[in-house]
Structure formats: structure tokens, C-alpha cells
């Protein structure tokens, strides 16, 4: 009788024991809403159709630091596969060096890079619950602040350009909710329109050819 009671008691205890969920897959470790801060190297250059390398004294690019933030949402679609959408806004210090009067034929003349909007998606492969590699792509809109003069007055106007971005990167978790990432992005802008500082309606769009290369580091939090 004692043995029967012991068996019944053990069975009751097992029945009352909660069933724990299996460990999360690597992809699930990279799922959810995320926000991040970004900083990196920024290089703008005339595209291939505007290249004039025959004159080495003419600088055909502007360089600087790009910085800003992004928000995104990722979801697991398998044990290791992650898909997501993201939006980004950044500023740039890249511009023509007015102090040195450096000759410049950056397709756009004397110019400072302004804000950039990016909307796109990414596909990642979670190599482990801590490391993911990914590729990305989407729409990119870059504003350039143009500088000029009519001989007596300094003139400034804005040029908004449209194009695309493709890139790749790696994301590394630091803790349950924090992470760092490093990525490379290539942007190409093929259409533009003058804003005239918002005082008049935008003009008709026209074709341009401008390349942009970025190496970005980010730190973020996933919720």
C-alpha cells in the first residue's frame, strides 16, 4: 500500500509540474521592434557617366561623417531566417571645402550633403542566437545643399535626389536586448529636383548620376 501511495504521489507531482517551452531558435533571438543610433564614414562621388578622371586636379568626391538613427521590426520565418523592415534618417558632414577653395566637379559643383531618408527591408541569417549576417535594400532620398554666387550675393538652394540603397552587414548581441552592428551600404541617385529652399514649387525632375558609399556602425535596443 505504501508503494502504491508513493507512486500515486509521484504521478500527481509530475502532472502538476508545468511544461516548459523549448529554447528559442537563433532567428527568434533577433525578432521584434528595434531602435538604434548610427555613425559612420560617408563618401559621395560623381557616377560613372559623369567621371572626368582625365584631370587629377579636380576633386570628384566629398567625404565626411554620417550620423542619425533608425527604427525597424524583424520576425523569424524559420529556425535561422529573419526578415524585417526599417526606416532611417541621417545627416552628413560631407561637403566642399570652402576655406581651401578646392576645385570640385562633383557633378553638382560646390555642395554640402544634407539629410537622408531611407526605407527598406532586410533578410538575415542567424548563425547563432548571438550573431546574424544580413543583406538589405530599399529606397533612398538624399538632399544636397548647393552653394553659388551671382558675383555679388551668395546663393543657396536645395537639391532632392532619389535612388536606391543595397548593403550587407553583421549584427552581434551584447545582452538580452542590446546589440551592435557594422554594415556597408551603396547608394545610387539617378533623379533629382530643385527645392529652391521651399519658397516655390519643385521643378521638373531630371536625371543625375551620383554614387554614395557608407560604412556604418550602430548600437541598438530590441524590445
Amino acid at each position: 500500500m505504501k508503494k502504491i501511495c508513493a507512486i500515486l504521489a509521484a504521478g500527481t507531482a509530475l502532472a502538476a509540474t508545468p511544461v516548459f517551452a523549448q529554447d528559442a531558435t537563433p532567428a527568434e533571438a533577433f525578432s521584434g521592434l528595434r531602435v538604434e543610433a548610427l555613425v559612420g564614414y560617408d563618401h559621395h562621388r560623381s557616377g560613372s557617366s559623369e567621371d572626368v578622371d582625365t584631370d587629377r586636379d579636380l576633386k570628384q568626391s566629398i567625404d565626411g561623417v554620417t550620423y542619425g538613427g533608425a527604427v525597424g521590426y524583424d520576425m523569424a520565418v524559420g529556425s535561422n531566417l529573419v526578415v524585417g523592415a526599417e526606416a532611417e534618417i541621417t545627416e552628413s558632414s560631407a561637403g566642399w571645402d570652402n576655406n581651401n577653395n578646392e576645385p570640385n566637379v562633383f557633378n553638382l559643383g560646390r555642395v554640402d550633403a544634407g539629410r537622408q531618408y531611407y526605407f527598406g527591408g532586410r533578410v538575415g541569417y542567424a548563425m547563432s542566437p548571438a550573431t546574424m549576417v544580413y543583406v538589405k535594400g530599399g529606397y533612398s532620398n538624399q538632399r544636397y545643399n548647393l552653394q553659388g554666387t551671382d558675383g555679388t550675393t551668395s546663393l543657396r538652394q536645395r537639391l532632392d535626389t532619389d535612388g536606391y540603397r543595397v548593403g550587407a552587414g553583421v549584427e552581434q548581441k551584447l545582452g538580452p536586448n542590446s546589440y551592435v552592428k557594422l554594415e556597408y551600404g551603396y547608394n545610387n541617385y539617378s533623379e533629382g529636383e530643385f527645392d529652391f529652399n521651399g519658397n516655390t514649387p519643385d521643378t521638373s525632375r531630371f536625371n543625375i548620376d551620383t554614387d554614395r558609399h557608407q560604412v556604418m556602425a550602430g548600437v541598438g535596443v530590441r524590445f
Side-chain angles (χ1 to χ4, degrees), residues 41-194:
Y41 168 69
D42 199 17
H43 177 81
H44 303 245
R45 181 179 172 85
S46 300
S48 58
S49 67
E50 302 295 338
D51 208 338
V52 288
D53 281 334
T54 55
D55 192 336
R56 295 186 178 182
D57 292 332
L58 293 177
K59 183 175 175 60
Q60 298 181 97
S61 64
I62 54 175
D63 303 273
V65 175
T66 183
Y67 52 92
V71 59
Y73 186 85
D74 301 302
M75 60 183 297
V77 294
S79 298
N80 300 91
L81 191 64
V82 178
V83 296
E86 58 188 356
E88 175 185 307
I89 181 170
T90 57
E91 284 282 346
S92 177
S93 68
W96 175 75
D97 190 347
N98 188 51
N99 293 325
N100 293 333
N101 291 315
E102 184 175 36
N104 187 295
V105 290
F106 169 54
N107 195 11
L108 306 176
R110 301 180 180 182
V111 60
D112 291 325
R115 64 102 184 103
Q116 176 188 231
Y117 298 139
Y118 167 75
F119 305 96
R122 69 176 187 171
V123 177
Y125 181 82
M127 303 172 64
S128 74
T131 305
M132 178 177 70
V133 293
Y134 60 88
V135 293
K136 63 186 296 180
Y139 166 75
S140 180
N141 177 278
Q142 172 64 40
R143 171 169 292 169
Y144 291 102
N145 301 308
L146 308 183
Q147 307 172 54
T149 179
D150 60 4
T152 58
T153 305
S154 178
L155 304 175
R156 294 181 65 89
Q157 62 186 31
R158 298 183 301 197
L159 172 66
D160 291 337
T161 62
D162 296 299
Y164 66 88
R165 179 194 296 182
V166 292
V170 58
E171 186 174 312
Q172 179 69 39
K173 296 191 71 171
L174 298 178
N177 301 102
S178 60
Y179 64 90
V180 293
K181 73 175 191 178
L182 181 67
E183 76 175 41
Y184 164 76
Y186 167 75
N187 302 264
N188 178 268
Y189 306 110
S190 58
E191 292 188 327
E193 61 181 356
F194 289 111

